[in-house]
Amino acid sequence: MKTGLVTEVHVVIYCDVCGDVYCESDGESACFDSTNQAVAYLSSRSAGVGWLYDGDRVVCDGCQALARCTEHGHTFPDPGRALVRLPSKTTRSRTCTVCGICETEIEALS
């Protein structure tokens, strides 16, 4: 039985692009016993984590979405197919369905 203050070693997954830490749904970073266990978790299809490990780098789902949009362009919902019709004079900007960035942010970056 462990008692008192104990130093323990564990592996935490960080995105190689943006530095975000992989978290479970409760917002706490996931801790693994070894690098092999972390790689196996990322590689398993049943995990459904959305993070990619290509044998060299770890890339989070957000960075993957941004890379896809950078390469192929953003995907905005078709206003003609919207479930809720907005007034034609609305100033509400559309949001990319892949990466989540707003049209106004893209225009500001250009």
Side-chain angles (χ1 to χ4, degrees), residues 26-50:
D26 61 2
E28 293 290 323
S29 60
C31 297
F32 300 91
D33 294 331
S34 67
T35 302
N36 288 342
Q37 184 186 32
V39 167
Y41 181 78
L42 288 178
S43 301
S44 72
R45 293 283 181 200
S46 61
V49 296

mmCIF file with all atom_site columns, all heavy atoms in Angstrom, residues 26-50:
data_model
loop_
_atom_site.group_PDB
_atom_site.id
_atom_site.type_symbol
_atom_site.label_atom_id
_atom_site.label_alt_id
_atom_site.label_comp_id
_atom_site.label_asym_id
_atom_site.label_entity_id
_atom_site.label_seq_id
_atom_site.pdbx_PDB_ins_code
_atom_site.Cartn_x
_atom_site.Cartn_y
_atom_site.Cartn_z
_atom_site.occupancy
_atom_site.B_iso_or_equiv
_atom_site.pdbx_formal_charge
_atom_site.auth_seq_id
_atom_site.auth_comp_id
_atom_site.auth_asym_id
_atom_site.auth_atom_id
_atom_site.pdbx_PDB_model_num
ATOM 1   N N   . ASP A 1 26 ? -13.994 14.193 -19.437 1.00 0.00 ? 26 ASP A N   1
ATOM 2   C CA  . ASP A 1 26 ? -14.104 14.934 -18.181 1.00 0.00 ? 26 ASP A CA  1
ATOM 3   C C   . ASP A 1 26 ? -13.135 16.115 -18.098 1.00 0.00 ? 26 ASP A C   1
ATOM 4   O O   . ASP A 1 26 ? -13.099 16.824 -17.104 1.00 0.00 ? 26 ASP A O   1
ATOM 5   C CB  . ASP A 1 26 ? -13.906 14.002 -16.982 1.00 0.00 ? 26 ASP A CB  1
ATOM 6   C CG  . ASP A 1 26 ? -12.530 13.338 -16.958 1.00 0.00 ? 26 ASP A CG  1
ATOM 7   O OD1 . ASP A 1 26 ? -11.698 13.625 -17.843 1.00 0.00 ? 26 ASP A OD1 1
ATOM 8   O OD2 . ASP A 1 26 ? -12.287 12.529 -16.049 1.00 0.00 ? 26 ASP A OD2 1
ATOM 9   N N   . GLY A 1 27 ? -12.335 16.335 -19.143 1.00 0.00 ? 27 GLY A N   1
ATOM 10  C CA  . GLY A 1 27 ? -11.412 17.464 -19.175 1.00 0.00 ? 27 GLY A CA  1
ATOM 11  C C   . GLY A 1 27 ? -10.068 17.194 -18.538 1.00 0.00 ? 27 GLY A C   1
ATOM 12  O O   . GLY A 1 27 ? -9.180  18.040 -18.571 1.00 0.00 ? 27 GLY A O   1
ATOM 13  N N   . GLU A 1 28 ? -9.892  16.051 -17.937 1.00 0.00 ? 28 GLU A N   1
ATOM 14  C CA  . GLU A 1 28 ? -8.611  15.686 -17.331 1.00 0.00 ? 28 GLU A CA  1
ATOM 15  C C   . GLU A 1 28 ? -7.735  14.997 -18.369 1.00 0.00 ? 28 GLU A C   1
ATOM 16  O O   . GLU A 1 28 ? -8.223  14.212 -19.174 1.00 0.00 ? 28 GLU A O   1
ATOM 17  C CB  . GLU A 1 28 ? -8.825  14.735 -16.148 1.00 0.00 ? 28 GLU A CB  1
ATOM 18  C CG  . GLU A 1 28 ? -9.526  15.373 -14.971 1.00 0.00 ? 28 GLU A CG  1
ATOM 19  C CD  . GLU A 1 28 ? -8.656  16.402 -14.267 1.00 0.00 ? 28 GLU A CD  1
ATOM 20  O OE1 . GLU A 1 28 ? -7.438  16.185 -14.152 1.00 0.00 ? 28 GLU A OE1 1
ATOM 21  O OE2 . GLU A 1 28 ? -9.207  17.428 -13.838 1.00 0.00 ? 28 GLU A OE2 1
ATOM 22  N N   . SER A 1 29 ? -6.429  15.305 -18.358 1.00 0.00 ? 29 SER A N   1
ATOM 23  C CA  . SER A 1 29 ? -5.536  14.647 -19.311 1.00 0.00 ? 29 SER A CA  1
ATOM 24  C C   . SER A 1 29 ? -5.486  13.151 -19.020 1.00 0.00 ? 29 SER A C   1
ATOM 25  O O   . SER A 1 29 ? -5.514  12.733 -17.872 1.00 0.00 ? 29 SER A O   1
ATOM 26  C CB  . SER A 1 29 ? -4.134  15.252 -19.254 1.00 0.00 ? 29 SER A CB  1
ATOM 27  O OG  . SER A 1 29 ? -3.587  15.115 -17.968 1.00 0.00 ? 29 SER A OG  1
ATOM 28  N N   . ALA A 1 30 ? -5.442  12.374 -20.080 1.00 0.00 ? 30 ALA A N   1
ATOM 29  C CA  . ALA A 1 30 ? -5.376  10.923 -19.952 1.00 0.00 ? 30 ALA A CA  1
ATOM 30  C C   . ALA A 1 30 ? -3.937  10.526 -19.647 1.00 0.00 ? 30 ALA A C   1
ATOM 31  O O   . ALA A 1 30 ? -3.004  11.019 -20.276 1.00 0.00 ? 30 ALA A O   1
ATOM 32  C CB  . ALA A 1 30 ? -5.850  10.253 -21.232 1.00 0.00 ? 30 ALA A CB  1
ATOM 33  N N   . CYS A 1 31 ? -3.745  9.665  -18.671 1.00 0.00 ? 31 CYS A N   1
ATOM 34  C CA  . CYS A 1 31 ? -2.408  9.207  -18.293 1.00 0.00 ? 31 CYS A CA  1
ATOM 35  C C   . CYS A 1 31 ? -2.267  7.728  -18.640 1.00 0.00 ? 31 CYS A C   1
ATOM 36  O O   . CYS A 1 31 ? -3.172  6.935  -18.394 1.00 0.00 ? 31 CYS A O   1
ATOM 37  C CB  . CYS A 1 31 ? -2.182  9.397  -16.799 1.00 0.00 ? 31 CYS A CB  1
ATOM 38  S SG  . CYS A 1 31 ? -2.233  11.121 -16.285 1.00 0.00 ? 31 CYS A SG  1
ATOM 39  N N   . PHE A 1 32 ? -1.120  7.384  -19.219 1.00 0.00 ? 32 PHE A N   1
ATOM 40  C CA  . PHE A 1 32 ? -0.851  6.010  -19.626 1.00 0.00 ? 32 PHE A CA  1
ATOM 41  C C   . PHE A 1 32 ? 0.382   5.501  -18.895 1.00 0.00 ? 32 PHE A C   1
ATOM 42  O O   . PHE A 1 32 ? 1.255   6.283  -18.518 1.00 0.00 ? 32 PHE A O   1
ATOM 43  C CB  . PHE A 1 32 ? -0.641  5.946  -21.142 1.00 0.00 ? 32 PHE A CB  1
ATOM 44  C CG  . PHE A 1 32 ? -1.849  6.419  -21.913 1.00 0.00 ? 32 PHE A CG  1
ATOM 45  C CD1 . PHE A 1 32 ? -1.981  7.755  -22.280 1.00 0.00 ? 32 PHE A CD1 1
ATOM 46  C CD2 . PHE A 1 32 ? -2.869  5.541  -22.235 1.00 0.00 ? 32 PHE A CD2 1
ATOM 47  C CE1 . PHE A 1 32 ? -3.094  8.202  -22.969 1.00 0.00 ? 32 PHE A CE1 1
ATOM 48  C CE2 . PHE A 1 32 ? -3.991  5.980  -22.928 1.00 0.00 ? 32 PHE A CE2 1
ATOM 49  C CZ  . PHE A 1 32 ? -4.105  7.309  -23.288 1.00 0.00 ? 32 PHE A CZ  1
ATOM 50  N N   . ASP A 1 33 ? 0.461   4.194  -18.725 1.00 0.00 ? 33 ASP A N   1
ATOM 51  C CA  . ASP A 1 33 ? 1.590   3.582  -18.019 1.00 0.00 ? 33 ASP A CA  1
ATOM 52  C C   . ASP A 1 33 ? 2.871   3.599  -18.833 1.00 0.00 ? 33 ASP A C   1
ATOM 53  O O   . ASP A 1 33 ? 3.962   3.582  -18.272 1.00 0.00 ? 33 ASP A O   1
ATOM 54  C CB  . ASP A 1 33 ? 1.265   2.135  -17.627 1.00 0.00 ? 33 ASP A CB  1
ATOM 55  C CG  . ASP A 1 33 ? 0.144   2.061  -16.595 1.00 0.00 ? 33 ASP A CG  1
ATOM 56  O OD1 . ASP A 1 33 ? 0.007   3.018  -15.807 1.00 0.00 ? 33 ASP A OD1 1
ATOM 57  O OD2 . ASP A 1 33 ? -0.584  1.053  -16.592 1.00 0.00 ? 33 ASP A OD2 1
ATOM 58  N N   . SER A 1 34 ? 2.729   3.622  -20.180 1.00 0.00 ? 34 SER A N   1
ATOM 59  C CA  . SER A 1 34 ? 3.919   3.577  -21.040 1.00 0.00 ? 34 SER A CA  1
ATOM 60  C C   . SER A 1 34 ? 3.617   4.257  -22.367 1.00 0.00 ? 34 SER A C   1
ATOM 61  O O   . SER A 1 34 ? 2.452   4.475  -22.721 1.00 0.00 ? 34 SER A O   1
ATOM 62  C CB  . SER A 1 34 ? 4.330   2.120  -21.302 1.00 0.00 ? 34 SER A CB  1
ATOM 63  O OG  . SER A 1 34 ? 3.345   1.466  -22.086 1.00 0.00 ? 34 SER A OG  1
ATOM 64  N N   . THR A 1 35 ? 4.673   4.560  -23.111 1.00 0.00 ? 35 THR A N   1
ATOM 65  C CA  . THR A 1 35 ? 4.516   5.111  -24.451 1.00 0.00 ? 35 THR A CA  1
ATOM 66  C C   . THR A 1 35 ? 3.792   4.108  -25.337 1.00 0.00 ? 35 THR A C   1
ATOM 67  O O   . THR A 1 35 ? 2.921   4.487  -26.133 1.00 0.00 ? 35 THR A O   1
ATOM 68  C CB  . THR A 1 35 ? 5.893   5.473  -25.054 1.00 0.00 ? 35 THR A CB  1
ATOM 69  O OG1 . THR A 1 35 ? 6.530   6.398  -24.178 1.00 0.00 ? 35 THR A OG1 1
ATOM 70  C CG2 . THR A 1 35 ? 5.766   6.076  -26.427 1.00 0.00 ? 35 THR A CG2 1
ATOM 71  N N   . ASN A 1 36 ? 4.130   2.836  -25.205 1.00 0.00 ? 36 ASN A N   1
ATOM 72  C CA  . ASN A 1 36 ? 3.473   1.797  -26.006 1.00 0.00 ? 36 ASN A CA  1
ATOM 73  C C   . ASN A 1 36 ? 1.971   1.760  -25.748 1.00 0.00 ? 36 ASN A C   1
ATOM 74  O O   . ASN A 1 36 ? 1.182   1.584  -26.677 1.00 0.00 ? 36 ASN A O   1
ATOM 75  C CB  . ASN A 1 36 ? 4.089   0.429  -25.720 1.00 0.00 ? 36 ASN A CB  1
ATOM 76  C CG  . ASN A 1 36 ? 5.470   0.289  -26.311 1.00 0.00 ? 36 ASN A CG  1
ATOM 77  O OD1 . ASN A 1 36 ? 5.858   1.041  -27.199 1.00 0.00 ? 36 ASN A OD1 1
ATOM 78  N ND2 . ASN A 1 36 ? 6.236   -0.651 -25.791 1.00 0.00 ? 36 ASN A ND2 1
ATOM 79  N N   . GLN A 1 37 ? 1.574   1.925  -24.500 1.00 0.00 ? 37 GLN A N   1
ATOM 80  C CA  . GLN A 1 37 ? 0.147   1.918  -24.180 1.00 0.00 ? 37 GLN A CA  1
ATOM 81  C C   . GLN A 1 37 ? -0.547  3.130  -24.803 1.00 0.00 ? 37 GLN A C   1
ATOM 82  O O   . GLN A 1 37 ? -1.643  3.011  -25.352 1.00 0.00 ? 37 GLN A O   1
ATOM 83  C CB  . GLN A 1 37 ? -0.056  1.912  -22.662 1.00 0.00 ? 37 GLN A CB  1
ATOM 84  C CG  . GLN A 1 37 ? -1.516  1.809  -22.261 1.00 0.00 ? 37 GLN A CG  1
ATOM 85  C CD  . GLN A 1 37 ? -1.737  1.942  -20.769 1.00 0.00 ? 37 GLN A CD  1
ATOM 86  O OE1 . GLN A 1 37 ? -1.009  2.659  -20.084 1.00 0.00 ? 37 GLN A OE1 1
ATOM 87  N NE2 . GLN A 1 37 ? -2.738  1.243  -20.263 1.00 0.00 ? 37 GLN A NE2 1
ATOM 88  N N   . ALA A 1 38 ? 0.096   4.300  -24.777 1.00 0.00 ? 38 ALA A N   1
ATOM 89  C CA  . ALA A 1 38 ? -0.477  5.509  -25.370 1.00 0.00 ? 38 ALA A CA  1
ATOM 90  C C   . ALA A 1 38 ? -0.605  5.355  -26.885 1.00 0.00 ? 38 ALA A C   1
ATOM 91  O O   . ALA A 1 38 ? -1.628  5.708  -27.469 1.00 0.00 ? 38 ALA A O   1
ATOM 92  C CB  . ALA A 1 38 ? 0.384   6.723  -25.030 1.00 0.00 ? 38 ALA A CB  1
ATOM 93  N N   . VAL A 1 39 ? 0.418   4.813  -27.528 1.00 0.00 ? 39 VAL A N   1
ATOM 94  C CA  . VAL A 1 39 ? 0.384   4.591  -28.979 1.00 0.00 ? 39 VAL A CA  1
ATOM 95  C C   . VAL A 1 39 ? -0.710  3.591  -29.329 1.00 0.00 ? 39 VAL A C   1
ATOM 96  O O   . VAL A 1 39 ? -1.463  3.799  -30.285 1.00 0.00 ? 39 VAL A O   1
ATOM 97  C CB  . VAL A 1 39 ? 1.760   4.111  -29.489 1.00 0.00 ? 39 VAL A CB  1
ATOM 98  C CG1 . VAL A 1 39 ? 1.671   3.576  -30.911 1.00 0.00 ? 39 VAL A CG1 1
ATOM 99  C CG2 . VAL A 1 39 ? 2.780   5.234  -29.391 1.00 0.00 ? 39 VAL A CG2 1
ATOM 100 N N   . ALA A 1 40 ? -0.821  2.530  -28.570 1.00 0.00 ? 40 ALA A N   1
ATOM 101 C CA  . ALA A 1 40 ? -1.859  1.525  -28.826 1.00 0.00 ? 40 ALA A CA  1
ATOM 102 C C   . ALA A 1 40 ? -3.242  2.153  -28.689 1.00 0.00 ? 40 ALA A C   1
ATOM 103 O O   . ALA A 1 40 ? -4.148  1.866  -29.480 1.00 0.00 ? 40 ALA A O   1
ATOM 104 C CB  . ALA A 1 40 ? -1.710  0.350  -27.865 1.00 0.00 ? 40 ALA A CB  1
ATOM 105 N N   . TYR A 1 41 ? -3.417  3.023  -27.722 1.00 0.00 ? 41 TYR A N   1
ATOM 106 C CA  . TYR A 1 41 ? -4.702  3.695  -27.530 1.00 0.00 ? 41 TYR A CA  1
ATOM 107 C C   . TYR A 1 41 ? -5.037  4.578  -28.721 1.00 0.00 ? 41 TYR A C   1
ATOM 108 O O   . TYR A 1 41 ? -6.152  4.537  -29.240 1.00 0.00 ? 41 TYR A O   1
ATOM 109 C CB  . TYR A 1 41 ? -4.662  4.524  -26.243 1.00 0.00 ? 41 TYR A CB  1
ATOM 110 C CG  . TYR A 1 41 ? -5.957  5.232  -25.955 1.00 0.00 ? 41 TYR A CG  1
ATOM 111 C CD1 . TYR A 1 41 ? -7.043  4.547  -25.423 1.00 0.00 ? 41 TYR A CD1 1
ATOM 112 C CD2 . TYR A 1 41 ? -6.102  6.585  -26.210 1.00 0.00 ? 41 TYR A CD2 1
ATOM 113 C CE1 . TYR A 1 41 ? -8.249  5.196  -25.162 1.00 0.00 ? 41 TYR A CE1 1
ATOM 114 C CE2 . TYR A 1 41 ? -7.294  7.243  -25.950 1.00 0.00 ? 41 TYR A CE2 1
ATOM 115 C CZ  . TYR A 1 41 ? -8.364  6.543  -25.425 1.00 0.00 ? 41 TYR A CZ  1
ATOM 116 O OH  . TYR A 1 41 ? -9.539  7.188  -25.176 1.00 0.00 ? 41 TYR A OH  1
ATOM 117 N N   . LEU A 1 42 ? -4.067  5.385  -29.161 1.00 0.00 ? 42 LEU A N   1
ATOM 118 C CA  . LEU A 1 42 ? -4.305  6.260  -30.320 1.00 0.00 ? 42 LEU A CA  1
ATOM 119 C C   . LEU A 1 42 ? -4.548  5.459  -31.594 1.00 0.00 ? 42 LEU A C   1
ATOM 120 O O   . LEU A 1 42 ? -5.293  5.891  -32.466 1.00 0.00 ? 42 LEU A O   1
ATOM 121 C CB  . LEU A 1 42 ? -3.125  7.195  -30.541 1.00 0.00 ? 42 LEU A CB  1
ATOM 122 C CG  . LEU A 1 42 ? -2.948  8.329  -29.537 1.00 0.00 ? 42 LEU A CG  1
ATOM 123 C CD1 . LEU A 1 42 ? -1.702  9.132  -29.866 1.00 0.00 ? 42 LEU A CD1 1
ATOM 124 C CD2 . LEU A 1 42 ? -4.167  9.233  -29.516 1.00 0.00 ? 42 LEU A CD2 1
ATOM 125 N N   . SER A 1 43 ? -3.914  4.315  -31.694 1.00 0.00 ? 43 SER A N   1
ATOM 126 C CA  . SER A 1 43 ? -3.993  3.497  -32.913 1.00 0.00 ? 43 SER A CA  1
ATOM 127 C C   . SER A 1 43 ? -5.249  2.647  -32.972 1.00 0.00 ? 43 SER A C   1
ATOM 128 O O   . SER A 1 43 ? -5.628  2.193  -34.056 1.00 0.00 ? 43 SER A O   1
ATOM 129 C CB  . SER A 1 43 ? -2.759  2.591  -33.019 1.00 0.00 ? 43 SER A CB  1
ATOM 130 O OG  . SER A 1 43 ? -1.589  3.375  -33.055 1.00 0.00 ? 43 SER A OG  1
ATOM 131 N N   . SER A 1 44 ? -5.890  2.424  -31.839 1.00 0.00 ? 44 SER A N   1
ATOM 132 C CA  . SER A 1 44 ? -7.069  1.551  -31.842 1.00 0.00 ? 44 SER A CA  1
ATOM 133 C C   . SER A 1 44 ? -8.265  2.281  -32.428 1.00 0.00 ? 44 SER A C   1
ATOM 134 O O   . SER A 1 44 ? -8.539  3.424  -32.105 1.00 0.00 ? 44 SER A O   1
ATOM 135 C CB  . SER A 1 44 ? -7.389  1.069  -30.425 1.00 0.00 ? 44 SER A CB  1
ATOM 136 O OG  . SER A 1 44 ? -7.908  2.118  -29.655 1.00 0.00 ? 44 SER A OG  1
ATOM 137 N N   . ARG A 1 45 ? -8.951  1.638  -33.322 1.00 0.00 ? 45 ARG A N   1
ATOM 138 C CA  . ARG A 1 45 ? -10.134 2.228  -33.966 1.00 0.00 ? 45 ARG A CA  1
ATOM 139 C C   . ARG A 1 45 ? -11.274 2.354  -32.959 1.00 0.00 ? 45 ARG A C   1
ATOM 140 O O   . ARG A 1 45 ? -12.116 3.207  -33.090 1.00 0.00 ? 45 ARG A O   1
ATOM 141 C CB  . ARG A 1 45 ? -10.587 1.371  -35.145 1.00 0.00 ? 45 ARG A CB  1
ATOM 142 C CG  . ARG A 1 45 ? -9.602  1.373  -36.277 1.00 0.00 ? 45 ARG A CG  1
ATOM 143 C CD  . ARG A 1 45 ? -9.728  2.649  -37.039 1.00 0.00 ? 45 ARG A CD  1
ATOM 144 N NE  . ARG A 1 45 ? -8.800  2.638  -38.151 1.00 0.00 ? 45 ARG A NE  1
ATOM 145 C CZ  . ARG A 1 45 ? -8.404  3.713  -38.752 1.00 0.00 ? 45 ARG A CZ  1
ATOM 146 N NH1 . ARG A 1 45 ? -8.814  4.880  -38.355 1.00 0.00 ? 45 ARG A NH1 1
ATOM 147 N NH2 . ARG A 1 45 ? -7.573  3.648  -39.764 1.00 0.00 ? 45 ARG A NH2 1
ATOM 148 N N   . SER A 1 46 ? -11.288 1.517  -31.953 1.00 0.00 ? 46 SER A N   1
ATOM 149 C CA  . SER A 1 46 ? -12.396 1.546  -30.997 1.00 0.00 ? 46 SER A CA  1
ATOM 150 C C   . SER A 1 46 ? -12.306 2.739  -30.057 1.00 0.00 ? 46 SER A C   1
ATOM 151 O O   . SER A 1 46 ? -13.292 3.120  -29.440 1.00 0.00 ? 46 SER A O   1
ATOM 152 C CB  . SER A 1 46 ? -12.422 0.250  -30.184 1.00 0.00 ? 46 SER A CB  1
ATOM 153 O OG  . SER A 1 46 ? -11.214 0.110  -29.456 1.00 0.00 ? 46 SER A OG  1
ATOM 154 N N   . ALA A 1 47 ? -11.124 3.352  -29.951 1.00 0.00 ? 47 ALA A N   1
ATOM 155 C CA  . ALA A 1 47 ? -10.966 4.490  -29.052 1.00 0.00 ? 47 ALA A CA  1
ATOM 156 C C   . ALA A 1 47 ? -11.778 5.677  -29.551 1.00 0.00 ? 47 ALA A C   1
ATOM 157 O O   . ALA A 1 47 ? -12.388 6.402  -28.769 1.00 0.00 ? 47 ALA A O   1
ATOM 158 C CB  . ALA A 1 47 ? -9.491  4.874  -28.924 1.00 0.00 ? 47 ALA A CB  1
ATOM 159 N N   . GLY A 1 48 ? -11.786 5.915  -30.861 1.00 0.00 ? 48 GLY A N   1
ATOM 160 C CA  . GLY A 1 48 ? -12.568 7.006  -31.424 1.00 0.00 ? 48 GLY A CA  1
ATOM 161 C C   . GLY A 1 48 ? -12.133 8.377  -30.947 1.00 0.00 ? 48 GLY A C   1
ATOM 162 O O   . GLY A 1 48 ? -12.947 9.273  -30.807 1.00 0.00 ? 48 GLY A O   1
ATOM 163 N N   . VAL A 1 49 ? -10.848 8.535  -30.677 1.00 0.00 ? 49 VAL A N   1
ATOM 164 C CA  . VAL A 1 49 ? -10.368 9.784  -30.102 1.00 0.00 ? 49 VAL A CA  1
ATOM 165 C C   . VAL A 1 49 ? -10.186 10.891 -31.122 1.00 0.00 ? 49 VAL A C   1
ATOM 166 O O   . VAL A 1 49 ? -10.168 12.057 -30.772 1.00 0.00 ? 49 VAL A O   1
ATOM 167 C CB  . VAL A 1 49 ? -9.045  9.573  -29.322 1.00 0.00 ? 49 VAL A CB  1
ATOM 168 C CG1 . VAL A 1 49 ? -9.265  8.659  -28.145 1.00 0.00 ? 49 VAL A CG1 1
ATOM 169 C CG2 . VAL A 1 49 ? -7.948  9.036  -30.219 1.00 0.00 ? 49 VAL A CG2 1
ATOM 170 N N   . GLY A 1 50 ? -10.020 10.546 -32.410 1.00 0.00 ? 50 GLY A N   1
ATOM 171 C CA  . GLY A 1 50 ? -9.846  11.572 -33.436 1.00 0.00 ? 50 GLY A CA  1
ATOM 172 C C   . GLY A 1 50 ? -8.429  12.096 -33.554 1.00 0.00 ? 50 GLY A C   1
ATOM 173 O O   . GLY A 1 50 ? -8.156  12.926 -34.404 1.00 0.00 ? 50 GLY A O   1
#
